[in-house]
Amino acid sequence: MSSSSVNQQVSILYQQHHAWIYCWLYQKLGSSADAADLAQDTFVRILARQQQLEFQQPRAYLVTVAKGLMVNWLQRKEIERAYFDVLAEQPAQEHPSPERQVLIIETLAEIIALLAELPHSVRLTFLYAQLEKLKYQEIADRLGISVSTVKRNIQRAYMHCLEVMLVAEDI
């Protein structure tokens, strides 16, 4: 299907359902501005896919796309909240610039997403080693696993990070 045909389908979908998805998002978020942003992002995401739209229930499709965006948005808000809580404990003169703060929050969101892809035990092992600087034996004792499992988990986490970095370079 041609790009102009897809654009026309999305345009029709937008005209027929934008107000409805905005209201649905507003009911979930309680914020007009946030609902408007996410409603717009919903259609941008659909448009970016450049796929023919063939479905019986367009509102169900819109809700599916909007829910995914809303979950990501809520997670990012939680990351921002946690970052600003920590930042508030620091002296004002040590605060990074607003531009740097945005980069830090984006990086934190990427790291959290990357770690979320790992199994819980691997993620926990890696975080104990990286953030708490625990030795392998201490991690093994804390998690009730063998030192060889700790080594294997940390290697798995590093390999996952490396794979993600290599894929990102290809983009």
Side-chain angles (χ1 to χ4, degrees):
M1 176 169 256
S2 73
S3 177
S4 64
S5 174
V6 170
N7 291 350
Q8 185 178 15
Q9 282 185 323
V10 174
S11 177
I12 292 168
L13 185 68
Y14 184 91
Q15 291 168 7
Q16 292 176 346
H17 301 287
H18 178 266
W20 179 85
I21 196 67
Y22 164 81
C23 289
W24 185 86
L25 285 162
Y26 180 75
Q27 288 176 333
K28 300 291 181 197
L29 300 171
S31 166
S32 178
D34 294 337
D37 286 346
L38 285 175
Q40 203 66 19
D41 288 349
T42 299
F43 289 97
V44 168
R45 173 75 51 96
I46 293 168
L47 188 59
R49 289 184 183 156
Q50 286 295 303
Q51 296 175 348
Q52 183 176 359
L53 304 175
E54 294 181 28
F55 37 70
Q56 300 297 320
Q57 299 175 330
R59 289 183 175 181
Y61 178 69
L62 289 171
V63 165
T64 300
V65 174
K67 273 185 184 177
L69 290 169
M70 187 171 50
V71 166
N72 293 341
W73 181 82
L74 291 169
Q75 288 171 340
R76 180 173 173 98
K77 289 293 182 192
E78 185 59 34
I79 292 167
E80 287 176 5
R81 220 177 345 271
Y83 173 73
F84 288 125
D85 287 348
V86 169
L87 194 61
E89 296 173 6
Q90 307 301 317
Q93 64 269 21
E94 293 182 20
H95 290 194
S97 69
E99 295 84 8
R100 184 110 171 107
Q101 290 178 18
V102 169
L103 289 174
I104 291 168
I105 291 168
E106 287 176 6
T107 303
L108 287 170
E110 289 174 13
I111 291 168
I112 289 169
L114 173 89
L115 293 175
E117 296 171 356
L118 294 169
H120 180 71
S121 63
V122 174
R123 179 174 54 249
L124 205 51
T125 303
F126 184 72
L127 291 173
Y128 280 145
Q130 295 302 309
L131 299 180
E132 296 192 23
K133 306 292 185 202
L134 295 180
K135 301 209 179 310
Y136 287 3
Q137 186 62 56
E138 293 172 313
I139 297 169
D141 293 343
R142 192 173 282 192
L143 296 177
I145 58 178
S146 68
V147 171
S148 61
T149 300
V150 170
K151 290 177 184 178
R152 199 170 34 253
N153 285 352
I154 290 175
Q155 180 182 15
R156 185 172 175 190
Y158 277 128
M159 292 303 296
H160 179 69
C161 293
L162 181 59
E163 288 170 5
V164 170
M165 287 176 11
L166 292 173
V167 168
E169 281 183 7
D170 290 342
I171 294 176

